Amino acid sequence: MSGANVSLIVAIAGVGGTLASAVITQVLAQRAESRRLDREQQLRAEEQRASESQHKINQLRTCYVQLNAHDRQYRDAMLAYAYAFKSGSADAEAAEVSTARRAQRDTRAEAQLVASDAVLAAESGVNDRLTTAYRYLMNVADESDPSTRRAKISQLIGLLDSIIPQQGRVRALMRLEVHASEELPAWFDSDSQLSTHGRVDADVHG
């Protein structure tokens, strides 16, 4: 083989190597860019999911704060009304009960759209007793016999006091769902509200 041919082959090989190197470099660069874009897309998706999750938690927190507050205010207003009967006029307390009842009802309507099934189930037990207490409170207000009224007031106060542990269980579930606590407290017993509900109502109406 002549020297010219050898030089030509070497030149061709050099050009081919240069072209191949450029192609390989481009392919590697494209793959690196593709991986970078995939990572960015994955991060954006994770950030979006985290944002949506936080938005839901914030929504639940707002709802639960209102529901917890209005359940308590409704109970406290009825308790104040019951004690006012013992000392005489209860007109101011009656107005407070009416206001608290409306606020609690509106808040429950909102909660039924966003709250979890577990919270709704537990809070329904609280609401059942609040509703029973309200009906009984109206019965007490219509009672004309002082002795009978005092007895009914004592029963009503007992019913209202029995709501406090139920409200504590509802709050424990709420705190868990909004990540204010990592687990339910040791005293939590989801069955206790079911076991005492019927007995208390029976005592009140008996």
Side-chain angles (χ1 to χ4, degrees):
M1 181 180 295
S2 65
N5 290 336
V6 172
S7 298
L8 180 60
I9 292 173
V10 171
I12 292 173
V15 172
T18 300
L19 293 175
S21 177
V23 170
I24 292 172
T25 300
Q26 184 177 6
V27 169
L28 292 176
Q30 289 175 342
R31 288 181 178 177
E33 179 66 12
S34 178
R35 287 194 296 269
R36 185 185 67 80
L37 292 175
D38 288 343
R39 285 195 299 270
E40 290 182 354
Q41 184 176 7
Q42 183 178 1
L43 286 174
R44 284 195 296 268
E46 291 175 355
E47 290 173 355
Q48 179 66 22
R49 286 192 295 269
S51 176
E52 292 173 355
S53 177
Q54 186 61 48
H55 175 73
K56 183 177 180 180
I57 290 174
N58 291 341
Q59 184 181 34
L60 279 178
R61 182 180 290 109
T62 299
C63 173
Y64 287 170
V65 166
Q66 292 296 317
L67 183 59
N68 176 60
H70 287 154
D71 275 352
R72 291 182 62 181
Q73 289 169 5
Y74 187 20
R75 175 199 167 274
D76 292 347
M78 285 194 284
L79 190 62
Y81 192 6
Y83 278 112
F85 270 123
K86 287 187 172 183
S87 59
S89 175
D91 292 341
E93 288 76 9
E96 290 180 5
V97 168
S98 180
T99 299
R101 183 168 181 260
R102 286 195 300 269
Q104 190 258 4
R105 181 182 57 196
D106 292 344
T107 303
R108 288 196 82 245
E110 179 184 353
Q112 288 168 351
L113 299 179
V114 299
S116 70
D117 291 342
V119 167
L120 286 178
E123 196 279 333
S124 289
V126 171
N127 185 68
D128 287 346
R129 291 198 183 191
L130 289 171
T131 301
T132 299
Y134 179 78
R135 289 198 302 265
Y136 201 61
L137 185 62
M138 296 301 99
N139 181 265
V140 169
D142 293 335
E143 180 58 59
S144 58
D145 180 68
S147 178
T148 303
R149 175 183 287 185
R150 285 194 298 271
K152 289 185 175 181
I153 288 174
S154 295
Q155 288 180 316
L156 173 59
I157 291 173
L159 173 58
L160 290 170
D161 286 344
S162 75
I163 297 174
I164 295 176
Q166 280 188 302
Q167 290 177 317
R169 283 185 283 275
V170 175
R171 283 194 298 273
L173 288 170
M174 290 176 173
R175 285 175 55 81
L176 185 67
E177 291 189 8
V178 300
H179 301 172
S181 59
E182 296 182 356
E183 60 183 10
L184 292 172
W187 51 259
F188 185 88
D189 179 6
S190 60
D191 293 331
S192 61
Q193 61 185 346
L194 299 178
S195 63
T196 59
H197 179 72
R199 177 179 56 76
V200 172
D201 286 353
D203 291 342
V204 169
H205 294 291

